[in-house]
């Protein structure tokens, strides 16, 4: 049996070729060229500070994660400005909407109202809890806008919050929904170094895993929240690392973002250059029932 | 052993006395006085039509369910107008936000941004998927506003959408989260006549069960969606019946709402007046581990 590489050994460029989703290919390419796999979670609710941080951090990041519904005094002008910054600095906008309703409702939430999310957010995420109809609903709107090559969804496969109701079986079912919609689902939200290995074993390599929960050097914060070092989380299988207040609340957000960018990128470089024992997972394009065939490592 | 009534035999007034949540008590009382257990899901995105429907249907309903993020050209004036209508016609506003993030984030989503949901929505709902921290996050904001007697959350215990990822074990864990937060969680969203009986067997009688999925006379729609008759769903355990497009898209929404109101209320009257064999469930105030002790009927 030939020794084949698994997702942890493949470069982002190699994985782009295995991705069925156009925006996943785009993000793999963007990360390779810009040499950053950092996502800043910009949970800043003051619009002026939000915009100035987006402008300052844009050159360092692959993805900017937003909660547009928490921005005070929102106007449509803000998302136009944000999209302009994204073009200028070559990052993707990820509205962390966590859609979780039925298909018919998420269609309206994605396209209507004050936010018109589909018009400016390259990426949105969704809980698959309501079933595959949620992905279908979002996809139909993207098709109406003729933007299937420019929009994609991340599914929440895991959560890190205490006593959350997601178990391994749920994670497996989420991966199945993704594989069945591989041209529109670009990847997953994973949850820290203890859980991401399971997700990485289930998710075909064309899917991107983004994960929060890191802190340079690891450790705990004042509230007892545990953090992993970027190196550990990347080694576990995370591709894009999501960092929030540790950057935007820092005395010098740009310096801190540059520090994270460097450490996260080096962790990725180390991961793809390490010699590893091949896993049992075949290095081929995912098929419809790929996830079901997987065994946990 | 004395024969005791279960939640299906108790009147709303009797159940108000068993509720630990002030807003649940208020809604039980409102329904008894106004003689309606109808909730209209007003998924209308045109703001003028939305407002005129809310004004016209207000006298018929107990609860108005909104998706404020789908309202075009939203301004804060709309929610002020809506709250005025709610006072005038004595109904509660239920923003169907389906919060599903971690506690820290839902706090901002509940109070900040363009919507300031906490200021005008009596009821919001949440997936317990991220764990009890989501309820805690919402509660802390309500406490900051000193409105614990005026605000409450409904947890999504079930969904009706095809191939959704909620199983019976998940439902049971949601009820546990509710029981542990019984002064702020007022009840549940259930899902149709086949699933609501399980929820009704798990949920202490002080909790209100709201459910969508009814149509007068039952049957299927053009897309194959199955509907239950109001009578069947009430008999299964639903207290508040959620009706959407079958009312607001009707040629005469007011006539249709009155028709639903009458049928749903009569179904409740029939339920509480029927002689029933007592269940094994004790007719007492829920305790912390009430849900865990339950067995399915």
């Amino acid at each position: 049996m030939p020794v084949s590489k698994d997702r942890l050994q493949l470069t982002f460029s190699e994985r782009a070729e295995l991705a069925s989703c156009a925006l996943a290919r785009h993000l793999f390419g963007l990360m390779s060229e810009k040499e950053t796999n950092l996502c800043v979670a910009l949970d800043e609710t003051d619009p002026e500070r939000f915009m100035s941080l987006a402008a300052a951090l844009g050159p360092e990041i692959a993805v900017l994660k937003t909660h547009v519904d928490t921005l005070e005094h929102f106007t449509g002008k803000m998302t136009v400005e944000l999209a302009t910054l994204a073009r200028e600095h070559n990052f993707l906008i990820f509205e962390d909407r966590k859609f979780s309703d039925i298909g018919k409702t998420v269609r309206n939430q994605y396209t209507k109202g004050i936010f018109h999310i589909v018009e400016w957010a390259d990426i949105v995420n969704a809980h698959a809890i309501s079933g595959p109809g949620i992905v279908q609903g979002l996809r139909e709107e993207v098709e109406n806008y003729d933007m299937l090559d420019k929009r994609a969804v991340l599914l929440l496969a895991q959560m890190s919050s205490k006593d959350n109701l997601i178990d391994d079986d749920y994670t497996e079912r989420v991966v199945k929904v993704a594989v069945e919609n591989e041209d529109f689902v670009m990847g997953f939200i994973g949850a820290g170094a203890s859980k991401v290995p399971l997700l990485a074993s289930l998710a075909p390599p064309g899917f991107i895993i983004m994960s929060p929960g890191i802190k340079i050097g690891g450790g705990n914060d004042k509230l007892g929240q545990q953090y992993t070092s970027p190196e550990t989380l990347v080694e576990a299988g995370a591709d894009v690392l999501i960092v929030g207040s540790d950057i935007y609340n820092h005395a010098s957000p740009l310096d801190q973002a540059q520090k994270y960018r460097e450490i996260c990128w080096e962790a990725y470089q180390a991961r793809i250059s390490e010699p590893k024992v091949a896993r049992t997972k075949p290095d081929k394009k995912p098929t419809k029932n790929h996830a079901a065939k997987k065994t946990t490592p």
Side-chain angles (χ1 to χ4, degrees), chain A:
Chain A
M1 225 175 95
V3 175
S4 64
K5 288 181 176 181
D6 75 1
R7 64 151 49 229
L8 298 184
Q9 296 176 284
L10 291 165
T11 65
F12 288 156
S13 302
E14 289 170 319
R15 286 171 60 194
E17 290 172 30
L18 302 172
S20 302
C21 170
L23 197 67
R25 289 194 295 273
H26 177 82
L27 180 55
F28 277 130
L30 185 165
M31 293 193 289
S32 299
E33 283 166 36
K34 197 171 169 181
E35 299 193 343
T36 175
N37 55 343
L38 178 63
C39 168
V40 167
L42 199 45
D43 293 343
E44 174 58 57
T45 61
D46 177 82
E48 283 184 26
R49 198 168 134 76
F50 176 93
M51 279 303 167
S52 74
L53 280 165
L57 304 178
E60 310 303 325
I61 59 178
V63 179
L64 183 80
K65 187 170 85 62
T66 60
H67 282 296
V68 73
D69 61 335
T70 68
L71 269 181
E72 299 287 9
H73 316 296
F74 174 86
T75 64
K77 197 165 156 274
M78 292 182 199
T79 48
V80 172
E81 276 178 38
L82 191 59
T84 305
L85 285 175
R87 266 198 308 278
E88 188 182 338
H89 297 303
N90 194 26
F91 62 81
L92 296 183
I93 305 171
F94 163 23
E95 167 60 15
D96 187 1
R97 176 59 178 77
K98 293 188 173 65
F99 288 112
S100 60
D101 213 311
I102 59 173
K104 184 184 152 195
T105 299
V106 297
R107 289 180 64 152
N108 284 343
Q109 292 173 325
Y110 191 27
T111 59
K112 293 181 188 281
I114 199 84
F115 298 132
H116 299 259
I117 296 171
V118 70
E119 295 175 11
W120 51 269
D122 305 289
I123 306 169
V124 292
N125 59 355
H127 286 287
I129 190 161
S130 63
I134 195 168
V135 176
Q136 189 56 30
L138 297 171
R139 174 211 287 274
E140 280 168 20
E141 289 300 332
V142 166
E143 285 173 352
N144 287 347
Y145 277 76
D146 197 19
M147 294 205 294
L148 200 53
D149 57 334
K150 293 185 184 67
R151 295 288 180 265
V153 66
L154 289 164
L155 294 180
L156 283 122
Q158 302 175 321
M159 291 191 86
S160 57
S161 41
K162 192 164 177 282
D163 293 332
N164 74 75
L165 304 193
I166 296 182
D167 56 20
D168 292 352
D169 178 56
Y170 183 102
T171 300
E172 196 165 335
R173 292 164 77 190
V174 172
V175 173
K176 191 164 174 289
V177 172
V179 169
E180 285 167 356
N181 294 277
E182 61 184 8
D183 60 337
F184 181 53
V185 177
M186 70 188 297
F188 305 95
I189 302 294
S194 66
K195 294 181 184 174
V196 163
L198 169 70
L199 179 57
S201 78
L202 294 168
F207 289 92
I208 295 169
I209 296 175
M210 302 197 187
S211 179
I214 60 160
K215 209 182 187 76
I216 292 171
N220 302 327
D221 72 4
K222 289 171 207 158
L223 295 165
Q225 173 95 29
Q226 276 208 317
Y227 288 96
T228 312
S229 71
E231 295 85 347
T232 308
L233 195 55
V234 167
E235 189 56 38
D239 301 311
V240 176
L241 303 184
I242 302 169
V243 184
S245 58
D246 204 29
I247 288 178
Y248 69 78
N249 276 343
H250 194 270
S252 173
L254 179 58
D255 289 344
Q256 185 77 339
Q258 285 170 339
K259 203 168 154 187
Y260 266 105
R261 174 190 185 166
E262 195 175 320
I263 290 173
C264 294
W265 189 252
E266 280 175 7
Y268 158 68
Q269 293 285 345
R271 183 176 85 185
I272 55 172
S273 59
E274 276 171 29
K276 283 189 193 67
V277 178
R279 302 188 176 193
T280 53
K281 193 162 157 195
D283 176 14
K284 62 175 185 181
K285 195 118 186 279
T287 58
K288 289 281 175 191
N289 53 358
H290 190 85
K293 280 189 273 180
K294 283 278 153 327
T295 53
T296 55

